[in-house]
Amino acid sequence: MVNPAEEEVAMNPQDRRAQLEARNAAMRQQVSSLLAGLDRQTAALNSAQAQLAEVTSQATSTDGLVTVTVNAVGIVTDVQFAPSAFDRSTPDKLARSVVAVTQQAAADAKQKVDAVLAPVRGDLPDLPDVFPGAPSLQHLLPPPAARRPPRTQDDDEDFSTRSVLRGGDR
C-alpha cells in the first residue's frame, strides 16, 4: 500500500499542480457555499427581527373588565379597564384579573415569538457542525418552557425566608 504523502512526492509536477488546483477549487466551492448560507441566514435573521418588532398580544378577562397588551418579550404596553370595572368589581379582584390576563398575553406573545424564530433556529448550525468534536450547545440550556415554572396565585403570598437566587434559607 502506498502512503499518500509518498504518492505526492512521486507525482510529476503537472499531476501535482492538477491535484492542488482541484483541492483549491473544492475549497473555493466550500467557502462559496458557506458564504451563500451565511447570506441566507442573515436575511432570515433580519426578516425575523423585523417581525419580532411587530409582535404584540392582548388578553381580556373573562368578565370583560380588564384588557392587557404586551410586547414580544411580555412587557405590558397597555392596560385598559372597562368603564364599569370599579362598580362591578373590587380592587383585589381587578388586581388578580390584571395579573391573569397579563400572564395570558405574555404566554401568547411567547408562542408568536417562537413561531417567528422557529425557521431561523432550525437553520443555525450547532457548534459541532462548525468545529468537529466540539460539545453541542443544544443541551446547555433547558428548553424554554422548562426554564421558569408557571406562576401560581400563591406565589404572591410567599413571604418565606428562602432566597430566590440560591434556593435555600437566607
Side-chain angles (χ1 to χ4, degrees):
M1 186 151 52
V2 178
N3 182 347
E6 292 172 3
E7 188 175 309
E8 284 186 21
V9 172
M11 281 189 205
N12 67 40
Q14 284 101 1
D15 290 342
R16 172 96 172 112
R17 181 178 175 94
Q19 185 182 38
L20 290 174
E21 286 176 354
R23 285 184 186 170
N24 197 9
M27 288 179 71
R28 279 193 194 119
Q29 177 60 36
Q30 188 176 17
V31 168
S32 177
S33 176
L34 287 171
L35 289 174
L38 180 62
D39 286 343
R40 284 191 306 275
Q41 287 177 343
T42 301
L45 286 170
N46 287 337
S47 174
Q49 184 178 19
Q51 289 175 12
L52 290 175
E54 301 296 320
V55 169
T56 62
S57 183
Q58 190 176 73
T60 301
S61 61
T62 55
D63 59 12
L65 298 179
V66 178
T67 300
V68 174
T69 304
V70 300
N71 65 12
V73 293
I75 294 174
V76 176
T77 59
D78 188 38
V79 177
Q80 295 183 7
F81 295 99
S84 63
F86 298 107
D87 296 332
R88 295 180 34 207
S89 189
T90 66
D92 187 47
K93 287 180 183 177
L94 285 173
R96 284 194 304 266
S97 290
V98 168
V99 170
V101 296
T102 300
Q103 290 173 347
Q104 290 171 1
D108 183 59
K110 183 188 175 317
Q111 288 179 342
K112 290 177 181 178
V113 166
D114 288 346
V116 168
L117 292 179
V120 176
R121 286 181 180 146
D123 290 342
L124 293 177
D126 196 8
L127 200 53
D129 298 335
V130 179
F131 302 105
S136 174
L137 299 177
Q138 305 237 345
H139 305 293
L140 291 179
L141 292 174
R147 288 185 192 148
R148 177 187 273 172
R151 262 183 77 115
T152 64
Q153 196 167 353
D154 295 337
D155 288 347
D156 289 336
E157 298 174 10
D158 181 10
F159 299 108
S160 68
T161 60
R162 288 184 349 163
S163 168
V164 294
L165 299 176
R166 294 191 186 111
D169 291 334
R170 288 186 209 164

